[in-house]
Amino acid sequence: QVQLVQSGAEVKKPGSSVKVSCKGSGNTFNTYTINWVRQAPGQGLEWMGGIIPIFGTPISAQKFKGRLTITADKSTSTAYMELSSLTSEDTAVYYCARDLIGAFYAMDVWGQGTTVTVSS
Amino acid sequence: QSALTQPPSASGSPGQSVTISCTGTSSDVGGYNYVSWYQHHPGKAPRLMIYEVNKRPSGVPDRFSGSKSGNTASLTVSGLQTEDEADYYCNSYAGSNTLVFGGGTKLTVL
């Protein structure tokens, strides 16, 4: 059974960067899209971007281009999401989620979430 | 990409059916059969309930069903149960390997 385990909560200053990791288990991690989704307090889910680790080419939502870096390390089955130039509006729970095997654009295995707080 | 439009709230009594709509454009919902629905209980990770418009992943009760007409997708929950009370989000492929979520609908079981 595939699991995604994310790194722990972070507190960051405005203007800094945060890097969240997402480690997968099982032998399917590298061949399916790992997505990053966030939820700000009182807000809805927001898709940020994704990557297929075996290919390594990330995709980002237009809103985050220039500020979001998504990478993956196939050797350790770990994906990373780095967001720079943080503001208070980036305070959110960040999730990684893997696509459903045999389907397109459907996220069926989720990490536990990582809380990122941006505060001076 | 603009968020898909969902009603902020929906409600029904146990045993009843409720339908949640998700309206997009021909560039997302209307253009592809890649609409998915997620159930989200506060403090927990979201759960995939429907994918590719009307398919259910293993383990999802058949009380949950999905459909699409034009630029609007719908999630129907039949035989409402108290544990169905949650936030529901639609999601659609929007071209160029990008996805977009709806604003979410809070489902209350009265």
Side-chain angles (χ1 to χ4, degrees), chain B residues 7 33 52-53 59 67 69 94-95 98 105:
Chain B
N33 287 324
E52 293 176 8
V53 176
S67 62
S69 178
T98 64
T105 298

Side-chain angles (χ1 to χ4, degrees), chain B residues 41-58:
Chain B
H41 288 106
K44 299 181 69 175
R47 179 189 180 190
L48 178 67
M49 306 302 284
I50 295 288
Y51 68 100
E52 293 176 8
V53 176
N54 56 13
K55 299 178 182 177
R56 275 187 312 275
S58 174

Side-chain angles (χ1 to χ4, degrees), chain A residues 39 47 95 104-105 107, chain B residues 38 40 44 52 89 97 99:
Chain A
Q39 184 177 38
W47 182 81
Y95 295 98
F104 291 97
Y105 312 113
M107 297 168 270
Chain B
Y38 298 85
H40 192 202
K44 299 181 69 175
E52 293 176 8
Y89 293 89
N97 288 316
L99 300 174

Side-chain angles (χ1 to χ4, degrees), chain B residues 1-38:
Chain B
Q1 297 151 321
S2 299
L4 307 175
T5 301
Q6 296 181 235
S9 63
S11 63
S13 299
Q16 289 186 331
S17 293
V18 65
T19 296
I20 298 170
S21 63
C22 169
T23 301
T25 69
S26 58
S27 296
D28 38 62
V29 174
Y32 310 94
N33 287 324
Y34 294 128
V35 176
S36 54
W37 290 89
Y38 298 85

Side-chain angles (χ1 to χ4, degrees), chain B residues 6 38 44-45 49 54 64 66 79 85 87 91 93 107 109-110:
Chain B
Q6 296 181 235
Y38 298 85
K44 299 181 69 175
M49 306 302 284
N54 56 13
F64 291 84
E85 185 162 296
D87 297 322
N91 179 277
Y93 180 67
L107 175 60
V109 181
L110 302 169

